[in-house]
Amino acid sequence: MDLSILLSSPLNPLIGNPRRRSRKLYPPFVTMATSGDSISAQSKPPKLVTFIGKGGSGKTTASVLASKYYASEGLRTCLVVHSQDPTVELLMGCRLQNTPTECGTNLFAFKLETSKMILEPLERLKKVDASLNLTQGILERIVGEELGVLPGMDSFAPVLALQNLINLFSKEKESSNKEYDVVVFDGISSEETLRLLGSTERARSYLKYVKDLAEKTDIGRLTSPSIIKLVYDAVKMHGRRSEGKTSSEIWSEIEGLIEKTSLWLTNHKNFGCYIVMDLTQLTSVSAALRYWGCAIQAGTHVSGAFGFLPQLSSVEKGASEKFSPLPFSILPLDSSVDSLNSSAKELLRSTSQCKYSSVCFDAKEKLVTLFMPGFDKSEVKLFQYRGGLELLVEVGDQRRIIKLPGNMQGKVAAAKFVDRNLIVKLR
């Protein structure tokens, strides 16, 4: 049922306008909106850090600045670049390879090259297939160096690289022996980064349907045991093999890994996602607001926002208000750590969670409030495919499923926008 028409229909206010918090301007050239717990000078940054924003807004410069800052604080830092753009090499002052290159004290960097990264999993598949004889030698005859990169393959390169660096799928005692304290990821685009960050939630739905095909169809029961073991052994989850495991046990382990990854990414002590913008360009600021909303739609909690501003320009007074309640600070246009102000350093090493909720439920009034910065009511569509059990929110090319509490399940009666919030009334 398409309920988008409800957004444009007249409706009496369902909830009062939330009271805006005042924000203080910190001269010179620094704007900071604080929230969450106080941050000590000894606090460590998240293990994985990334930046999103409009192309040309300074994502790469911010990534380099953050990497240099973490390294200067004595943290072994690795910058992962998913682009052939030489900007990072110019800012870092060193030539990057497809393996970590030391660019300074505690500072390493490398660029992802998908054409080379597909070779390792292919070799793993060959070794596993040699023992299972599933393809009867077909895989062995494939020459990986002859294979090019097809559309979509670039999306898997960061997954492999970040897993190797963070050891997310390793056991606790294995993951404690880490090579880097912080990994900074500079994605090929903000859209691809958001797809990556939201992939665990989306993977649950796909896995459910694939598992049904494997277990409830004749062809699935015939072929899936061999295929799933081939993939499992090639990926080497936890460094173990599928020998002695049933298909049901492997499916359960995959589901557990997806859940573990989802919980890891939603822990602000592990992961920090920051929005970047050029405050001299209104289009960049508008895009930053949009990406904030897109990040929420993808299931990602944004840690803060940074704006680039020339030293001789005045601070845009409305910047912190637009991004309230996100912590907000200014970054210098150059890539020098010495130019970082104290508030920017504080925000980069923060592991306190910005106190805003993307979804709020009011059981008494049967209201669902969705925080959706950067969007307007004409872009939102609401669907309900499973009765009143859940609410599917579609904005642009992103969909988000909201599970409704048991005491609030029901059909949508009306909806409207109030101060960046979509207020949905259930009946």
Side-chain angles (χ1 to χ4, degrees):
M1 177 181 179
D2 187 345
L3 304 169
S4 60
I5 191 172
L6 291 171
L7 297 177
S8 57
S9 63
L11 179 70
N12 291 330
L14 302 174
I15 190 171
N17 289 340
R19 184 176 300 172
R20 290 183 178 270
R21 301 176 184 176
S22 61
R23 290 291 176 254
K24 182 179 179 181
L25 296 180
Y26 293 79
F29 316 117
V30 177
T31 308
M32 183 178 179
T34 60
S35 65
D37 303 325
S38 60
I39 306 167
S40 68
Q42 301 301 320
S43 60
K44 288 188 176 181
K47 297 176 183 178
L48 176 63
V49 173
T50 192
F51 297 86
I52 59 175
K54 183 179 182 295
S57 62
K59 294 193 286 39
T60 298
T61 303
S63 298
V64 171
L65 266 170
S67 300
K68 288 182 176 181
Y69 170 66
Y70 294 140
S72 70
E73 292 290 293
L75 301 171
R76 285 180 62 84
T77 305
C78 184
L79 172 60
V80 181
V81 183
H82 192 196
S83 173
Q84 296 302 309
D85 190 326
T87 300
V88 171
E89 294 179 329
L90 295 174
L91 295 176
M92 297 282 280
C94 64
R95 176 76 66 179
L96 302 188
Q97 307 295 329
N98 61 348
T99 55
T101 300
E102 187 170 3
C103 300
T105 305
N106 296 320
L107 182 58
F108 301 81
F110 72 95
K111 56 184 176 182
L112 301 181
E113 295 180 345
T114 308
S115 60
K116 295 182 175 63
M117 294 189 68
I118 61 176
L119 299 180
E120 181 182 354
L122 178 59
E123 288 303 313
R124 288 183 182 178
L125 282 172
K126 287 182 178 181
K127 290 179 181 179
V128 175
D129 184 56
S131 60
L132 296 178
N133 196 30
L134 182 63
T135 68
Q136 299 179 349
I138 297 295
L139 272 179
E140 182 60 34
R141 293 197 291 271
I142 296 177
V143 180
E145 287 76 7
E146 293 180 348
L147 300 178
V149 179
L150 295 175
M153 286 186 174
D154 281 320
S155 299
F156 291 98
V159 177
L160 298 174
L162 295 177
Q163 152 56 19
N164 290 335
L165 291 170
I166 300 173
N167 295 322
L168 184 59
F169 297 157
S170 300
K171 297 179 180 179
E172 292 296 328
K173 61 181 181 181
E174 295 172 349
S175 60
S176 61
N177 185 22
K178 58 185 179 181
E179 186 174 359
Y180 301 106
D181 298 303
V182 184
V183 174
V184 180
F185 175 60
D186 183 27
I188 196 170
S189 70
S190 295
E191 285 77 8
E192 283 291 323
T193 299
L194 290 174
R195 296 283 190 216
L196 173 64
L197 298 178
S199 60
T200 54
E201 286 297 319
R202 312 299 180 261
R204 284 196 182 98
S205 298
Y206 283 94
L207 183 65
K208 175 181 178 295
Y209 293 123
V210 171
K211 185 179 179 182
D212 285 345
L213 286 172
E215 296 180 345
K216 299 178 181 180
T217 64
D218 292 336
I219 189 172
R221 286 189 289 267
L222 178 65
T223 61
S224 66
S226 297
I227 295 176
I228 192 174
K229 288 184 178 182
L230 174 66
V231 175
Y232 182 94
D233 289 338
V235 175
K236 290 184 178 179
M237 295 181 180
H238 296 306
R240 294 175 289 184
R241 297 199 53 168
S242 64
E243 187 174 353
K245 292 181 180 289
T246 64
S247 296
S248 179
E249 290 173 332
I250 294 177
W251 281 116
S252 296
E253 190 166 335
I254 294 173
E255 290 172 346
L257 289 174
I258 292 176
E259 178 66 20
K260 178 183 177 181
T261 305
S262 179
L263 291 174
W264 194 94
L265 286 172
T266 54
N267 187 339
H268 55 277
K269 294 183 179 179
N270 295 329
F271 174 65
C273 178
Y274 298 94
I275 296 175
V276 179
M277 71 205 79
D278 180 353
L279 291 177
T280 65
Q281 300 292 328
L282 291 179
T283 54
S284 180
V285 176
S286 297
L289 282 168
R290 177 85 173 196
Y291 279 120
W292 185 11
C294 290
I296 293 174
Q297 274 290 100
T300 298
H301 191 92
V302 176
S303 304
F306 290 101
F308 282 94
L309 194 70
Q311 289 292 324
L312 298 179
S313 298
S314 60
V315 176
E316 182 177 326
K317 294 181 179 180
S320 67
E321 182 66 22
K322 285 183 179 180
F323 289 90
S324 172
L326 282 184
F328 190 96
S329 186
I330 298 299
L331 289 178
L333 290 178
D334 59 37
S335 59
S336 171
V337 175
D338 296 333
S339 301
L340 281 177
N341 57 60
S342 59
S343 67
K345 293 178 180 179
E346 185 179 353
L347 182 51
L348 284 173
R349 66 173 178 259
S350 170
T351 54
S352 63
Q353 186 172 13
C354 177
K355 289 183 173 63
Y356 72 86
S357 179
S358 60
V359 184
C360 293
F361 299 102
D362 185 342
K364 183 178 180 180
E365 299 294 333
K366 298 202 75 171
L367 298 177
V368 181
T369 303
L370 306 175
F371 184 53
M372 306 186 72
F375 298 121
D376 61 57
K377 63 183 181 182
S378 65
E379 301 176 273
V380 183
K381 292 183 179 180
L382 303 177
F383 301 90
Q384 288 185 293
Y385 292 110
R386 303 182 187 280
L389 300 179
E390 60 188 32
L391 182 66
L392 190 152
V393 183
E394 180 180 281
V395 186
D397 67 344
Q398 290 184 315
R399 298 187 182 98
R400 184 185 183 193
I401 296 176
I402 308 296
K403 302 290 186 182
L404 298 176
N407 59 348
M408 289 188 61
Q409 293 176 359
K411 298 290 186 177
V412 172
K416 69 174 297 184
F417 255 82
V418 179
D419 191 29
R420 300 187 299 180
N421 293 288
L422 174 65
I423 314 296
V424 182
K425 174 71 173 178
L426 302 173
R427 62 170 182 263

